[in-house]
Amino acid sequence: MTDAAPALDVRGLSVRFRMPGGRYVAAVSDASFRLAPGSCLALVGESGCGKSVLASALLGLLPGNADTAGSALLPDGLDLLTAGEAVLARTVRGRRIGLVPQSPAAHLTPVRTIRSHLEEAVRELAHPTAAARGRRAAREAVRAAAERAAERAAFPASHLDRHPHELSGGLAQRAATALALVGDAPLLLADEPTTGLDRDLVHRTADELRAHTRDAGRALLMITHDLAAAHRIADTVAVMYAGRIVETCPADAFFGRPGPRHPYARGLLDALPERAFTPIPGSPPELGALPPGCAFAARCPGADARCRTELPAPASGVACHHA
Ligand SMILES: Nc1ncnc2c1ncn2[C@@H]1O[C@H](COP(=O)(O)OP(=O)(O)OP(=O)(O)O)[C@@H](O)[C@H]1O
């Protein structure tokens, strides 16, 4: 991380869902991280660990039964957790945070062409018509801005008049990226952007997102369970387990030497086919019935009595009594 003011500063973010019978699901607990301009933080972890809930909290898209605590600050001090829906809709989503969605084909409207999606986003977010005189000039300004947006995401002009179902997975991903870039937001949030893509496309998508980040000075929060994509793109890796960030580590150290220090993070790497290909035994706890101590203790070969009773506080980037 650099010393620049963070593009996003998340402190003690927690999300609980109120359930019938007075129960709670603690989907995210006390998550903290900072994201510098021009850098990428990959938030990794198994399915169900709370990654998407954290992303929804940042975008103000949590359902009504969610309670939040902590803060998520943009550089001017706007707290995404307490900002009202009108502020988020008018000034944040698309303008200050661009969302690269999971399953882009599903995110796009099936009956509309990519050009129509882009032109609508341009009209809404980029206002290219301000200088145009007359309706025809305004239409042409929107069209040109939409074509430029497609070009920025390497979406071919020849495919702009196609519908989402006429696109390959890779092109649908680029269309979604083009849409996310229209508002020129300084922060991109990519939720599982490589899910369902083959290996080559994972690499290409990761490289393209990387270019939109480092080269353009944007910050990227990438949520993924795909460690190969994280390896390709991230400066920092944050590992989430059972709703908590258990380790935050520079990507070089995480994927190279000395490697992660938390036993769960080490287990995630060892489970990769290109490494030991050894799955972590057992499964994560229910987020509605978390144990009092470390949530990983039941699966951890090094756990002792303290681990089972006392929650480890994050110290120098890792939350483990024995790291
Ligand atoms: N509206 C809700 N009410 C209650 N629990 C919810 C609600 N939405 C999500 N959860 C729970 O929050 C937990 C975290 O879900 P989340 O979707 O963030 O996981 P994830 O890590 O993104 O997994 P995936 O990669 O499968 O999307 C899950 O246990 C889920 O069941």
Side-chain angles (χ1 to χ4, degrees):
M1 290 263 169
T2 71
D3 292 333
L8 177 66
D9 188 357
V10 173
R11 297 183 202 171
L13 167 56
S14 298
V15 181
R16 294 198 314 178
F17 293 109
R18 273 172 273 116
M19 307 301 284
R23 287 187 315 114
Y24 286 96
V25 171
V28 179
S29 300
D30 203 16
S32 296
F33 58 87
R34 302 174 104 203
L35 185 52
S39 75
C40 169
L41 183 139
L43 186 62
V44 304
E46 287 165 293
S47 186
C49 71
K51 305 182 299 291
S52 298
V53 169
L54 189 150
S56 299
L58 298 179
L59 292 164
L61 296 175
L62 288 170
N65 66 330
D67 294 332
T68 60
S71 61
L73 304 176
L74 293 182
D76 65 349
L78 181 79
D79 186 352
L80 298 169
L81 301 187
T82 53
E85 172 55 24
V87 170
L88 292 169
R90 265 204 314 269
T91 68
V92 174
R93 293 196 285 265
R95 292 178 169 84
R96 302 187 68 181
I97 305 180
L99 175 67
V100 181
Q102 190 169 10
S103 319
H107 185 76
L108 300 164
T109 308
V111 294
R112 292 173 51 200
T113 64
I114 302 309
R115 186 189 299 282
S116 140
H117 281 88
L118 282 170
E119 289 190 352
E120 181 186 55
V122 163
R123 273 193 298 270
E124 185 65 26
L125 299 172
H127 307 296
T129 53
R133 296 229 178 108
R135 285 171 60 181
R136 186 162 169 192
R139 259 204 316 275
E140 278 167 11
V142 169
R143 193 179 167 91
E147 288 176 0
R148 279 197 303 277
E151 202 181 325
R152 279 205 288 174
F155 185 89
S158 56
H159 288 53
L160 275 170
D161 293 311
R162 296 197 180 180
H163 291 84
H165 73 273
E166 297 173 296
L167 300 178
S168 64
L171 284 187
Q173 182 61 54
R174 286 184 185 173
T177 305
L179 279 167
L181 294 174
V182 165
D184 209 15
L187 171 62
L188 291 180
L189 202 166
D191 188 1
E192 302 279 8
T194 57
T195 297
L197 303 182
D198 64 38
R199 216 13 67 189
D200 285 350
L201 269 177
V202 167
H203 289 171
R204 204 172 341 135
T205 301
D207 292 348
E208 286 166 2
L209 281 172
R210 178 75 261 188
H212 294 307
T213 308
R214 190 175 286 150
D215 303 350
R218 291 190 186 89
L220 172 65
L221 173 59
M222 183 168 91
I223 288 175
T224 187
H225 60 260
D226 183 344
L227 287 175
H231 191 179
R232 216 167 167 91
I233 193 169
D235 302 291
T236 306
V237 179
V239 180
M240 207 163 172
Y241 185 76
R244 272 182 201 280
I245 294 180
V246 294
E247 179 159 6
T248 306
C249 180
D252 290 352
F254 186 88
F255 291 107
R257 290 185 182 279
R261 291 155 60 206
H262 196 283
Y264 173 66
R266 289 206 301 272
L268 274 185
L269 281 180
D270 283 346
L272 291 174
E274 61 274 24
R275 299 212 180 191
F277 209 8
T278 311
I280 304 171
S283 48
E286 290 285 325
L287 296 181
L290 287 171
C294 172
F296 188 60
R299 303 171 78 186
C300 180
D304 58 15
R306 184 179 176 210
C307 301
R308 282 182 272 277
T309 52
E310 192 184 317
L311 189 66
S316 57
V318 60
C320 172
H321 291 307
H322 301 290

